[in-house]
């Protein structure tokens, strides 16, 4: 039987490229002088796509009328119009679970870095200030006694909450609905959550529903000892409002792994001392990225073998 034709619009990790090559005719338009011409030529042939940050919108889907599945590298899939895929009967998969612990560990690391000013403390050693000026100034904040509001208590949010509980933090949460079997206090609105807490852990996905929901009003509710950590998506935060709140003392500090227009980070944030910035490394270990890559391959292989995806997204549920 001939191998199904798969498109990989952008190069992906070795584990993905090797795995796909074993099972599929893999098309890599990025290697061609004119990628758009290649995509047009392949229009009728392509049955699957493996994507990494690639925008999968109506224009993309229109190009490939015989597309059956889009396998996303990453748990967040705001790059994909999953509702449109659902309407067209196209399966969408992502890479949950295999990255949960890595992202939760990074979130806690970023929280502590931010609260205790650890990146500034490291710079103090490297730039000779320790020798020249003496001890690093005491951090104004402490982790002790903080009330952590988790925005988005999904798999990753729960893993973060579990770790934070072990650190003695009081956990609250907000999401679309109150969850059964969860003892943490639920807040029906984000504003209520921010009012009840002094630390906001953003784990929410991107997309229209969450666009800029962390705004000036929410930041004000967190208060002057407030700390914002974002490990979800940059689009959830109004970055201009955040920079202003950090500059004028409305909140104390922020630790950000994600930004609205990556890899561009607003200068207004970079200019501030009370911000820790990371280059979207939540899941970025070789171990975890390989596991995510393998799951991309497994989803495509399983789909073309049995018509079943391994990890379908809620908008395109696997039919039993
Ligand atoms: C990373 O941001 C992911 O969505 O997996």
């Amino acid at each position: 039987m001939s191998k199904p034709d798969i498109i990989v619009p952008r190069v992906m990790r070795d584990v993905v490229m090797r795995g796909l090559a074993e099972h599929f005719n893999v098309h890599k338009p990025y290697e061609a002088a004119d990628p758009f011409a290649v995509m047009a030529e392949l229009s009728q042939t392509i049955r699957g796509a493996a994507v990494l940050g690639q925008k999968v919108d109506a224009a993309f889907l229109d190009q490939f009328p015989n597309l059956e599945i889009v396998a996303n590298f990453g748990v967040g899939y705001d790059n994909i119009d999953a509702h449109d895929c659902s309407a067209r009967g196209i399966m969408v998969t992502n890479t949950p679970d295999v990255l949960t612990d890595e992202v939760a560990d990074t979130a806690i690391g970023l929280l502590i870095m931010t609260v205790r000013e650890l990146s500034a403390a490291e710079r103090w050693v490297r730039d000779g200030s320790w020798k020249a000026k003496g001890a690093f100034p005491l951090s104004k904040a402490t982790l002790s006694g903080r009330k952590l509001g988790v925005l988005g208590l999904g798999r990753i949010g729960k893993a973060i909450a579990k770790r934070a509980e072990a650190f003695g933090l009081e956990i609250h949460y907000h999401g679309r609905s109150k969850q059964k079997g969860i003892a943490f206090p639920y807040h029906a609105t984000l504003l209520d959550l921010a009012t009840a807490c002094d630390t906001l852990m953003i784990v929410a996905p991107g997309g229209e529903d969450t666009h800029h929901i962390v705004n000036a009003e929410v930041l004000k509710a967190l208060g002057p000892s407030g700390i914002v950590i974002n490990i979800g998506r940059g689009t959830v935060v109004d970055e201009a409002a955040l920079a202003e709140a950090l500059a004028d003392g409305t909140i104390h500090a922020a630790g950000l792994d994600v930004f609205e227009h990556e890899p561009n980070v607003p200068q207004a944030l970079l200019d501030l001392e009370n911000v820790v910035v990371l280059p979207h490394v939540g899941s970025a270990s070789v171990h975890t990225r390989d596991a995510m890559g393998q799951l991309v391959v497994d989803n495509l292989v399983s789909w073309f073998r049995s018509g079943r995806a391994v990890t379908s997204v809620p908008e395109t549920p696997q039919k039993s």
Side-chain angles (χ1 to χ4, degrees), residues 8-274:
V8 184
R10 288 185 195 155
V11 68
M12 294 169 80
R13 296 184 62 67
D14 262 11
V15 67
V16 184
M17 302 313 289
R18 270 190 277 107
L20 293 180
E22 262 181 51
H23 302 277
F24 304 107
N25 287 326
V26 181
H27 300 278
K28 308 170 196 168
Y30 56 85
E31 284 181 346
D34 185 351
F36 293 104
V38 174
M39 304 239 260
E41 251 168 54
L42 293 169
S43 173
Q44 301 296 319
T45 321
I46 293 301
R47 296 176 60 200
V51 302
L52 167 62
Q54 167 85 32
K55 216 171 170 39
V56 177
D57 53 9
F60 182 93
L61 297 171
D62 286 346
Q63 277 193 307
F64 305 112
N66 297 314
L67 192 64
E68 295 173 35
I69 177 169
V70 179
N72 189 56
F73 182 101
V75 69
Y77 53 96
D78 45 315
N79 51 314
I80 299 173
D81 187 338
H83 290 291
D84 196 354
C85 287
S86 166
R88 296 176 193 232
I90 297 169
M91 169 58 72
V92 178
T93 64
N94 64 343
T95 59
D97 301 322
V98 292
L99 48 49
T100 299
D101 285 339
E102 201 76 74
V103 178
D105 292 346
T106 309
I108 295 294
L110 182 54
L111 171 64
I112 297 175
M113 279 175 81
T114 306
V115 171
R116 297 298 324 286
E117 305 173 27
L118 295 184
S119 34
E122 201 213 1
R123 287 196 295 275
W124 190 263
V125 178
R126 289 184 183 277
D127 71 9
S129 295
W130 195 11
K131 264 194 213 152
K133 302 183 195 166
F136 183 70
L138 307 185
S139 69
K140 286 169 278 310
T142 177
L143 195 61
S144 252
R146 285 200 160 259
K147 291 186 181 172
L148 185 73
V150 180
L151 171 57
L153 196 73
R155 284 172 276 220
I156 296 174
K158 288 191 177 92
I160 293 170
K162 183 176 164 193
R163 286 157 173 75
E165 258 195 315
F167 279 93
L169 305 194
E170 184 180 313
I171 317 290
H172 298 236
Y173 75 104
H174 167 68
R176 274 189 300 260
S177 51
K178 183 168 165 40
Q179 298 188 33
K180 284 199 190 94
I182 298 288
F184 306 135
Y186 172 72
H187 298 268
T189 69
L190 173 54
L191 196 57
D192 285 350
L193 180 75
T195 306
C197 299
D198 54 18
T199 310
L200 183 63
M201 176 63 75
I202 302 167
V203 204
E208 270 169 34
D209 292 353
T210 59
H211 187 260
H212 286 196
I213 57 173
V214 176
N215 55 22
E217 196 185 6
V218 168
L219 296 169
K220 188 156 184 278
L222 267 184
S225 60
I227 289 184
V228 170
I229 305 296
N230 193 0
I231 196 84
R233 278 293 181 268
T235 50
V236 177
V237 176
D238 177 343
E239 287 176 340
L242 177 63
E244 215 174 298
L246 287 160
D248 68 13
T250 300
I251 66 167
H252 177 62
L256 308 169
D257 184 44
V258 288
F259 301 88
E260 180 156 13
H261 300 293
E262 295 172 10
N264 301 306
V265 178
Q267 194 58 43
L269 288 172
L270 292 176
D271 285 345
L272 293 167
E273 277 297 318
N274 51 346

